[in-house]
């Protein structure tokens, strides 16, 4: 039986794999659009509400990360037991509604609490999708499928930056929150009505009944026996500290260091993120499927090499006095910094049985995002505030350069993962 036929017969899926990935990418795009739009809106929000860089960093990172990471594991356990499509539909509705509420904020604490609400909703948006894709696609295609799904990161981030910058420049920053929040709510019923729930493990080798859901203790014991899970999770977290920090702070960097208007900065960074991000994610997923067949250590080697390569390009790009050079050079580290997504997310799915995938993904996301979102954005903002008395508007430039050390740590963790992946893999 062909893979497509097996999917249709065993999962009852009426849509093509192309549509399945398309609608999942659309939802993930809104996930990151709502998550990252505050980065470009930080400029008018700071002026309107009188906030410091440290407060902006807390709001862009910790406010979102607190509940996003904390609720991710219990929501994923539900996804390992019940309908993943229903959970994602509810999550999309909640985070979109809370994004709209952000537009009503009148001070730091109101906006902080609204961002907490966005995090609560998005806790159910990603781990169930990883599990769904693993049940729609066979193992040899998963890294590429998960890479295509991850296109939602640069597309959503770029859309949030460009759209948010345009609305904030021509109308008001509050309207940007209203529009994207309402649009996400409108997508939710379409997602639910057009995506079916597949059989768990239906695309894995062998003909077996769907496994029963596992308890959290069983899952944690399984993960405890997999050293590569923990080193890859910590490596991804280190990379995300720089990645999320860059997504949040580069628009402000272009305004402060190059004197761009908010709209020009949004168009500039949005283009860098869109083209560089999509290219890097696709190449990473393709390379993992291509080289991981022969040697599973490739799933860790590819991110390790990519992270090391980002550092010199960030130094050249951020220190360049010419905007054209900065644009050209930054395409490369943006691409390299996102190349890990396909290899690592795919490897995580193969470290546990099908009935543990959502929860294992949530544990991975808990580590990745608690450190990445919770600390990365905040630390770059705090270092920028500390350096302002000496460097003025260029303080953010040197804070970003200091952040590249996170990529060095990430590479070390991924090199350490290579020796254990072969043993930890679930065949």
């Amino acid at each position: 039986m062909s893979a497509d036929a097996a999917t249709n017969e065993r999962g009852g899926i009426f849509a093509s794999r192309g549509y399945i990935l398309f609608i999942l990418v659309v939802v993930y795009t809104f996930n990151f659009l709502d998550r990252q739009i505050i980065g470009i809106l930080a400029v008018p929000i700071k002026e309107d509400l009188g906030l410091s860089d440290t407060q902006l960093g807390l709001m862009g990172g910790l406010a979102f990360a607190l509940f996003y990471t904390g609720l991710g594991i219990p929501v994923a356990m539900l996804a390992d037991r019940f309908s993943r499509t229903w959970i994602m539909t509810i999550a999309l509705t909640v985070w979109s509604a809370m994004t709209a509420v952000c537009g009503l904020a009148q001070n730091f604490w109101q906006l902080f609490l609204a961002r907490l609400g966005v995090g609560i909703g998005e806790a159910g948006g990603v781990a169930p999708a990883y599990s769904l894709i693993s049940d729609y696609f066979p193992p040899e295609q998963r890294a590429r499928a998960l890479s295509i799904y991850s296109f939602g990161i640069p597309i959503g981030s770029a859309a949030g930056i460009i759209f948010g910058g345009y609305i904030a420049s021509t109308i008001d920053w509050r309207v940007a929150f209203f529009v994207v929040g309402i649009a996400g709510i409108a997508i939710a019923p379409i997602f639910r009505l057009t995506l079916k729930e597949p059989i768990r493990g239906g695309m894995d080798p062998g003909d077996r009944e769907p496994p029963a859901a596992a308890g959290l203790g069983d899952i944690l014991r399984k993960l405890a026996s997999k050293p590569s899970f923990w080193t890859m999770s910590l490596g991804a977290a280190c990379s995300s500290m720089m990645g999320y920090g860059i997504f949040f702070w580069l628009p402000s960097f272009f305004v402060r260091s190059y004197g761009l208007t908010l709209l020009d900065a949004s168009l500039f960074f949005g283009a860098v993120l869109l083209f560089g991000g999509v290219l890097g994610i696709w190449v990473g997923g393709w390379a993992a499927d291509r080289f991981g067949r022969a040697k599973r250590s490739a799933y860790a080697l590819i991110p390790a090499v990519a992270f090391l390569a980002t550092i010199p390009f960030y130094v050249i790009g951020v220190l360049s006095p010419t905007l054209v050079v900065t644009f050209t050079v930054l395409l490369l580290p943006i691409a390299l910094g996102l190349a890990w997504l396909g290899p690592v997310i795919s490897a995580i799915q193969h470290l546990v049985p099908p009935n543990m995938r959502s929860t294992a993904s949530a544990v991975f996301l808990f580590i990745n995002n608690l450190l990445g979102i919770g600390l990365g954005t905040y630390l770059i903002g705090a270092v920028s505030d500390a350096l302002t008395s000496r460097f003025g508007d260029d303080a953010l430039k040197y804070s970003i350069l200091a952040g590249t050390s996170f990529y060095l740590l990430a590479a070390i963790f991924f090199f350490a993962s290579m020796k254990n992946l072969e043993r930890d893999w679930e065949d």
Side-chain angles (χ1 to χ4, degrees):
M1 184 182 296
S2 70
D4 284 315
T7 302
N8 287 326
E9 179 179 306
R10 299 177 69 180
I13 298 165
F14 66 87
S16 69
R17 283 199 183 122
Y19 175 77
I20 290 163
L21 273 180
F22 168 76
I23 193 65
L24 286 170
V25 169
V26 169
V27 173
Y28 203 23
T29 295
F30 273 93
N31 182 296
F32 260 81
L33 196 162
D34 291 3
R35 188 184 308 188
Q36 297 298 130
I37 191 172
I38 199 167
I40 191 64
L41 298 180
V43 176
I45 289 173
K46 179 178 182 178
E47 181 179 351
D48 191 12
L49 301 184
L51 306 182
S52 67
D53 280 353
T54 301
Q55 286 178 309
L56 286 171
L58 282 170
M59 186 175 57
L62 186 61
F64 177 87
L66 280 175
F67 283 93
Y68 176 61
T69 56
L71 290 178
I73 294 174
V75 171
M77 292 185 66
L78 292 175
D80 275 333
R81 289 163 170 77
F82 304 107
S83 170
R84 292 162 286 186
T85 55
W86 260 117
I87 288 172
M88 289 185 66
T89 301
I90 295 169
L92 171 60
T93 304
V94 172
W95 87 59
S96 298
M98 293 309 299
T99 296
V101 171
C102 289
L104 301 174
Q106 300 297 317
N107 55 51
F108 169 75
W109 285 110
Q110 290 178 3
L111 192 52
F112 185 90
L113 292 174
R115 290 290 293 174
L116 287 180
V118 176
I120 290 171
E122 294 201 6
V126 181
Y130 291 165
S131 178
L132 283 171
I133 290 171
S134 295
D135 288 337
Y136 284 131
F137 292 85
E140 65 273 11
Q141 297 178 9
R142 282 178 190 157
R144 279 169 291 175
L146 287 162
S147 291
I148 293 173
Y149 171 69
S150 298
F151 285 172
I153 296 175
I155 295 172
S157 299
I161 289 165
I162 294 172
F163 175 78
Y166 175 77
I167 294 295
S169 298
T170 57
I171 305 177
D172 182 72
W173 62 267
R174 299 179 187 278
V175 175
F177 282 123
F178 295 148
V179 172
V180 299
I182 293 170
I185 294 172
I187 291 293
I190 299 174
F191 174 81
R192 178 64 191 91
L193 292 173
T194 59
L195 200 65
K196 296 292 186 180
E197 184 78 14
I199 288 180
R200 298 179 196 273
M203 297 303 297
D204 289 286
D207 190 10
R208 55 182 179 269
E209 291 299 314
L216 180 59
D218 293 331
I219 297 170
L220 292 178
R221 279 190 290 274
K222 170 68 76 172
L223 294 177
S225 68
K226 311 278 186 175
S228 59
F229 174 86
W230 303 101
T231 49
M232 285 197 298
S233 296
L234 290 172
C238 289
S239 74
S240 293
M241 290 175 73
M242 179 61 176
Y244 280 113
I246 282 292
F247 283 11
F248 186 89
W249 287 112
L250 269 187
S252 297
F253 161 72
F254 291 132
V255 171
R256 298 181 196 182
S257 292
Y258 291 97
L260 297 183
T261 65
L262 179 64
L263 181 57
D264 287 341
S266 67
L267 293 172
F268 186 87
F269 181 52
V272 171
L273 184 55
L274 180 62
F275 293 112
V278 169
L279 175 63
I281 292 172
W282 173 251
V283 170
W286 171 85
D289 278 340
R290 171 68 176 80
F291 299 107
R293 297 175 188 175
K295 204 164 187 180
R296 284 163 181 161
S297 60
Y299 286 85
L301 177 62
I302 291 165
V305 173
F307 289 141
L308 285 179
T310 63
I311 297 173
F313 289 115
Y314 267 125
V315 172
I316 296 170
V318 170
L319 292 180
S320 171
T322 307
L323 194 58
V324 174
V325 173
T326 298
F327 175 84
T328 305
V329 172
L330 286 184
L331 283 170
L332 293 171
I334 291 292
L336 291 166
L338 291 173
W340 68 271
L341 286 161
V344 175
I345 296 168
S346 179
I348 296 298
Q349 307 309 300
H350 290 96
L351 295 180
V352 294
N355 61 330
M356 298 183 179
R357 283 176 179 156
S358 288
T359 305
S361 296
V363 175
F364 165 78
L365 290 170
F366 177 87
I367 298 169
N368 179 49
N369 292 320
L370 184 64
L371 296 176
I373 303 176
L375 290 180
T377 305
Y378 166 74
L379 287 176
I380 290 178
V383 171
S384 175
D385 277 341
L387 296 176
T388 297
S389 61
R390 180 175 179 182
F391 296 106
D393 285 342
D394 282 337
L396 188 54
K397 172 192 298 185
Y398 296 107
S399 180
I400 290 171
L401 288 178
T404 60
S405 60
F406 296 133
Y407 279 143
L408 177 60
L409 288 173
I412 293 171
F413 278 116
F414 278 105
F415 280 126
S417 302
M418 292 174 58
K419 64 180 180 180
N420 293 313
L421 263 181
E422 192 76 35
R423 186 195 68 187
D424 292 346
W425 206 267
E426 292 274 334
D427 290 311

